Amino acid sequence: MTESSNPDKGVSTESPETKTKAGVVVDVTEGYFTARLDLLKEAIAATGSSASGGASAGQVGTYLVIRNGSSDTLVTVARNYHAASKQGHTIAMAQLTPLGMIERSGSFSRGISRYPDCGAEVHLITEDDLARVFSGYGDSDFKVGELSASGSINIHLDASAFFGRHAAILGQSGSGKSWAVASLVQSTLRAMPQSHIIVMDMHGEYCDKKVDGDFVPSPFASLGARSFGAQELEFPYWLLSFSDLCELLINPEDKNASIQTAFLRETLLRLRQEVNSHLHLGHITVDSPLYYPLEELHEAMEAADNATAEFGKQKLATYGKFDQPLVRLNSLLNDNRYDFMMRPSKRNSSESLTDLMQDLVGLGNPRAPVTVIDLSTVSFDVVPLVAAQIGRLVYEFNFWNPHCTDFPIFMICEEAHEYIPREESARFKEARRSMERISKNGRKYGVGLCVVSQRPHDVSETVLAQCSSFLCLRISNPDDQAYIRSMVPEASRGTFDTLTSLAKGEVIGLGEAVPMPVRFRMRLPDPPPNSTDVDYSQKWRNDSVGIDVDRLVYSWRSQEHE
């Protein structure tokens, strides 16, 4: 008789199934299960650290499986508590949130097709089994982090679901949003070097910039990014749609608004046709992206406002009807913050549109997988107008691109609450319209959108509702938590209760890009973004640097950053 078959040698005949059994299900509802985990300590002792992703099994946030006939139900522990038995003994109990089904073949599927019965066995899940669940989902080379419960289990995103069906990165200030965005873009470029990503950089965190006189490159510079200032790219007035221009110049409450709108439509069409006759385009509409001299539009409005007949004795229908539009137009022309739009220096012909579009989507010289648009030097009240222009140009690029499905574009909107707000306001109307059009129709033309915000409650409900994947960092504000809960799929209360306890850089991933709601730690960006917290403790212990207040005041007055 061999040693392995001799019972006298003390060889255990306990099956692996018996070793991992932690308890039984005692209550089943549609949203969660309750289990008695009276064998949990024995199961942990028998399996060691190979169970539950390396963490202490049964802790909140760890994973267990329920044996359920031909498949297992994967659950996460949402709550731990103790109950007393009839004999007065303490029993470990747990509330379990169902995540999906694991077939005997090892494949994982979302949702619950069959609920377990009371008395069904609850087992620990080994690290190898859990790793197979995560490794079998998403793109194997698109790693974004590691499972919080185990640094040895990698988290991969489904790239097509994340980029193609819109996404949101949400978290309060200081939770690590900038690092998460930088890490995500870097991981994307390493896995997919032919990407087409546009980053709207509100605070100069992702662009090339000067810090204390030293040049600091973009965190994506080594991967081929190009950085532009909004003033450098120039988004000229003649690219505004007719409705955008009317929003700028015409007050809808003005009793003469209908006359102004009709005149503006007729004049714009005439100017576009006259100036661009050399292009032999044939059919031209009032919305065609064609150059026209703004000075001639201004002169036409002034002429209409002063139109008379019979040597001034008879006032024509347009006389005195353009006072408000002229005041608005003159105000824009005299405000140097709008020069990159109202007084472009290099976008003064219809032909210049090609260069702008190429630079915007990364097809310029040199080509770049990431285009960072620095909006940090743009006045905050001008940002919504610039955002509206960028969103419209990106959408129109692929709308008219016959190969749009072969050239998908992804636009990251940093601090989205500042220009895509939930509130209805005329100031944000065009930006909201532009981004909401992408959120509703962009998928058809290969235009994806990522909303990044520290105040999700203040972001357009229409835009957030169209997002299918969410990366949520720490969020403490109850209003923001409730708003996200109402928006995201699979919003179990247990998952969202952990939002306040996330460490910096720790993320809860939800939606179609991940196999199940998962708590993980994002990869550290290398290099990090150009965003650091001010070290008050250190700065206030040393002498202050010399501040040239005259220069500061001059910059403020001229609205130009150094």
Side-chain angles (χ1 to χ4, degrees):
M1 184 179 290
T2 63
E3 183 177 356
S4 61
S5 61
N6 186 349
D8 295 332
K9 295 295 184 180
V11 178
S12 174
T13 58
E14 188 176 27
S15 70
E17 286 290 298
T18 305
K19 286 184 178 181
T20 60
K21 183 179 177 181
V24 294
V25 175
V26 297
D27 183 56
V28 177
T29 68
E30 188 174 356
Y32 63 89
F33 314 139
T34 303
R36 185 178 70 241
L37 302 181
D38 47 354
L39 300 176
L40 180 61
K41 291 183 179 179
E42 290 83 351
I44 294 176
T47 57
S49 61
S50 64
S52 191
S56 179
Q59 287 184 350
V60 172
T62 57
Y63 300 93
L64 300 169
V65 290
I66 300 172
R67 297 286 181 257
N68 192 19
S70 61
S71 61
D72 296 339
T73 302
L74 183 65
V75 298
T76 184
V77 179
R79 178 189 173 212
N80 278 327
Y81 61 98
H82 282 136
S85 67
K86 292 181 179 179
Q87 293 76 27
H89 300 299
T90 300
I91 304 173
M93 305 291 291
Q95 181 176 305
L96 310 175
T97 301
L99 301 174
M101 308 294 292
I102 303 176
E103 304 300 329
R104 287 289 177 256
S105 62
S107 62
F108 174 81
S109 60
R110 296 168 177 270
I112 304 298
S113 58
R114 178 183 174 187
Y115 284 84
D117 298 323
C118 288
E121 295 181 357
V122 179
H123 287 255
L124 305 186
I125 182 170
T126 65
E127 185 167 299
D128 290 341
D129 289 339
L130 194 58
R132 276 193 291 271
V133 169
F134 285 105
S135 64
Y137 192 90
D139 296 74
S140 59
D141 57 351
F142 189 23
K143 176 188 172 183
V144 295
E146 297 82 28
L147 192 68
S148 291
S150 172
S152 64
I153 297 180
N154 295 328
I155 302 298
H156 305 86
L157 297 185
D158 183 327
S160 293
F162 186 85
F163 297 114
R165 300 172 190 168
H166 310 315
I169 299 176
L170 309 172
Q172 67 188 39
S173 179
S175 61
K177 287 191 311 301
S178 299
W179 282 50
V181 170
S183 175
L184 177 72
V185 174
Q186 290 171 357
S187 296
T188 302
L189 297 182
R190 293 186 183 108
M192 295 161 279
Q194 301 302 317
S195 304
H196 307 287
I197 301 173
I198 299 169
V199 181
M200 295 175 60
D201 186 3
M202 290 294 297
H203 302 297
E205 297 172 307
Y206 312 104
C207 61
D208 299 332
K209 64 185 300 185
K210 283 189 176 181
V211 178
D212 297 329
D214 297 325
F215 176 78
V216 179
S218 162
F220 319 126
S222 63
L223 300 168
R226 292 187 73 191
S227 299
F228 296 96
Q231 293 90 339
E232 179 184 358
L233 270 184
E234 292 187 347
F235 299 94
Y237 62 88
W238 51 269
L239 286 178
L240 292 169
S241 67
F242 178 69
S243 61
D244 291 344
L245 190 63
C246 288
E247 287 289 335
L248 276 180
L249 302 182
I250 298 175
N251 179 4
E253 303 298 324
D254 189 335
K255 63 180 181 180
N256 299 312
S258 59
I259 295 177
Q260 296 163 1
T261 301
F263 177 84
L264 193 60
R265 179 186 298 275
E266 179 183 341
T267 305
L268 272 183
L269 185 57
R270 175 178 59 80
L271 289 176
R272 292 189 198 273
Q273 290 173 336
E274 290 176 355
V275 176
N276 298 281
S277 59
H278 65 287
L279 297 177
H280 307 293
L281 294 174
H283 181 65
I284 293 178
T285 71
V286 71
D287 279 327
S288 295
L290 295 168
Y291 170 77
Y292 63 89
L294 191 59
E295 296 80 5
E296 292 190 21
L297 176 63
H298 187 276
E299 291 172 1
M301 291 171 62
E302 282 190 327
D305 196 51
N306 296 302
T308 59
E310 297 185 10
F311 304 100
K313 296 180 180 178
Q314 180 182 350
K315 297 177 181 179
L316 299 184
T318 60
Y319 184 88
K321 302 294 194 302
F322 288 84
D323 292 343
Q324 285 196 35
L326 284 168
V327 168
R328 289 191 174 194
L329 180 55
N330 288 328
S331 176
L332 293 170
L333 290 171
N334 294 329
D335 191 335
N336 64 353
R337 297 175 302 170
Y338 290 88
D339 281 354
F340 68 95
M341 182 177 71
M342 305 305 290
R343 297 182 184 275
S345 60
K346 57 184 177 181
R347 311 291 183 197
N348 290 318
S349 69
S350 297
E351 290 82 357
S352 64
L353 176 58
T354 300
D355 291 338
L356 173 59
M357 299 293 269
Q358 287 177 333
D359 286 339
L360 186 61
V361 301
L363 295 178
N365 187 19
R367 292 197 174 197
V370 177
T371 302
V372 181
I373 302 176
D374 181 14
L375 299 177
S376 62
T377 59
V378 177
S379 180
F380 78 96
D381 57 342
V382 184
V383 166
L385 188 59
V386 179
Q389 282 280 68
I390 295 172
R392 177 172 176 246
L393 290 175
V394 172
Y395 181 86
E396 296 290 353
F397 182 93
N398 257 12
F399 180 83
W400 297 104
N401 179 8
H403 305 290
C404 61
T405 56
D406 297 322
F407 192 87
I409 302 171
F410 191 66
M411 187 161 63
I412 299 177
C413 298
E414 263 278 0
E415 303 291 2
H417 54 276
E418 295 190 11
Y419 48 90
I420 324 173
R422 189 181 186 185
E423 65 173 294
E424 294 284 350
S425 171
R427 177 172 162 239
F428 304 108
K429 184 176 179 180
E430 295 309 315
R432 275 178 52 114
R433 178 189 298 170
S434 178
M435 300 305 176
E436 288 178 357
R437 182 169 66 158
I438 292 176
S439 71
K440 290 185 286 188
N441 302 320
R443 283 181 56 191
K444 304 173 186 177
Y445 307 104
V447 181
L449 188 68
C450 181
V451 175
V452 184
S453 177
Q454 60 181 284
R455 284 309 313 272
H457 184 266
D458 294 341
V459 177
S460 164
E461 187 173 5
T462 300
V463 172
L464 272 185
Q466 298 295 327
C467 295
S468 69
S469 298
F470 293 79
L471 299 181
C472 299
L473 293 94
R474 185 173 67 252
I475 296 176
S476 302
N477 186 286
D479 291 336
D480 289 331
Q481 287 193 27
Y483 189 50
I484 299 173
R485 185 182 292 113
S486 68
M487 288 287 161
V488 304
E490 305 170 277
S492 62
R493 181 170 293 276
T495 300
F496 275 87
D497 285 345
T498 63
L499 283 177
T500 58
S501 62
L502 295 176
K504 186 173 183 178
E506 200 172 18
V507 175
I508 290 178
L510 303 121
E512 296 184 22
V514 290
M516 67 190 84
V518 57
R519 181 172 178 171
F520 67 96
R521 186 174 295 279
M522 293 285 293
R523 298 173 71 177
L524 290 178
D526 183 23
N530 301 321
S531 61
T532 55
D533 294 333
V534 176
D535 188 349
Y536 281 76
S537 176
Q538 182 67 26
K539 297 299 183 183
W540 285 357
R541 282 177 169 80
N542 301 320
D543 289 337
S544 300
V545 298
I547 305 296
D548 187 342
V549 180
D550 283 337
R551 185 66 185 172
L552 180 154
V553 172
Y554 175 80
S555 297
W556 184 13
R557 286 170 175 164
S558 62
Q559 294 290 298
E560 293 181 356
H561 280 269
E562 294 186 345

